[in-house]
Amino acid sequence: MQSLTVRAGTVSTIKSYCNILNLRFLSQLNEIDEARGFVYPFPKEEITIKTVRSSGPGGQNRDKRETKVQIKVDISQADWISERTKASLVKKLDSSGHLHISDETSRNQGNNKKECFNKLYQLLLEHSYVQPQPREEDLAAERRREKVRKETWKQANKTKKYYAKRDNPFSW
């Protein structure tokens, strides 16, 4: 069994190395999302956040605190969303071209705000997805499978016709 010795400077070196890895990962995440059609993290100055009192049962907490969070994004002015994604989101917009997302599932305003931004992120991911083009190998395999299906079908029909003629007492 090997023992691990840690010097005083090693822990801070490991932490700084982990921070560098996180920064690299976040920059890769930004590149991936830009390729998909939007920038993440969202520019929060372009998103309007409004808090209101939640509806429904819940007693004093819901009566006294504004826990429901509503976010509004002006899609037509958002330069951080690609035109392709904007075109896909047209059905989700109101008459003035704004996207509204709200959440009131939690008793905590902070959790509801996080959930709203998660919903926005998922919505943008869903509407910015572009299906990849099929590869030539996949197309060739599909053509081979279709050819085998047709041949099997022809052979089965030949067998059915043969037995239909043989078993039919009225055929001459």
Side-chain angles (χ1 to χ4, degrees):
M1 185 164 150
Q2 294 181 347
S3 63
L4 177 66
T5 55
V6 178
R7 293 185 301 243
T10 309
V11 173
S12 63
T13 307
I14 291 172
K15 285 182 179 177
S16 64
Y17 184 68
C18 289
N19 289 338
I20 291 170
L21 285 177
N22 285 339
L23 290 175
R24 285 184 185 164
F25 174 73
L26 287 175
S27 66
Q28 289 173 354
L29 183 65
N30 285 343
E31 290 171 15
I32 291 170
D33 289 339
E34 286 172 7
R36 283 186 168 257
F38 60 94
V39 176
Y40 185 81
F42 306 122
K44 296 208 165 91
E45 58 275 358
E46 295 188 21
I47 298 173
T48 308
I49 301 172
K50 181 180 175 184
T51 58
V52 294
R53 290 188 180 157
S54 293
S55 62
Q60 292 179 352
N61 189 61
R62 292 202 183 220
D63 293 339
K64 292 191 294 186
R65 293 181 176 82
E66 294 184 346
T67 56
K68 181 178 181 179
V69 177
Q70 298 173 336
I71 62 174
K72 181 170 74 170
V73 182
D74 187 4
I75 296 294
S76 60
Q77 300 297 322
D79 57 349
W80 49 277
I81 300 175
S82 71
E83 294 300 321
R84 176 190 66 200
T85 307
K86 288 179 186 180
S88 177
L89 283 170
V90 167
K91 292 183 179 178
K92 300 269 183 188
L93 305 179
D94 64 359
S95 60
S96 61
H98 292 92
L99 178 67
H100 296 272
I101 297 175
S102 65
D103 189 71
E104 58 181 331
T105 55
S106 174
R107 292 172 50 108
N108 186 341
Q109 188 183 95
N111 291 345
N112 288 339
K113 190 182 291 186
K114 287 178 188 176
E115 190 60 34
C116 277
F117 280 106
N118 284 340
K119 286 180 182 181
L120 177 62
Y121 181 76
Q122 292 299 322
L123 186 70
L124 289 175
L125 275 181
E126 179 183 322
H127 284 274
S128 62
Y129 179 74
V130 177
Q131 190 169 0
Q133 295 293 326
R135 297 179 309 180
E136 187 58 40
E137 299 90 27
D138 297 338
L139 294 173
E142 183 60 34
R143 286 192 293 266
R144 284 193 303 272
R145 284 192 294 270
E146 187 62 31
K147 185 177 178 182
V148 167
R149 271 190 229 115
K150 284 182 181 178
E151 300 226 352
T152 305
W153 186 81
K154 283 181 183 177
Q155 189 63 34
N157 280 341
K158 283 182 184 177
T159 307
K160 285 180 188 176
K161 288 177 184 176
Y162 171 76
Y163 284 112
K165 286 182 180 178
R166 189 187 80 173
D167 293 340
N168 188 355
F170 300 106
S171 65
W172 312 82

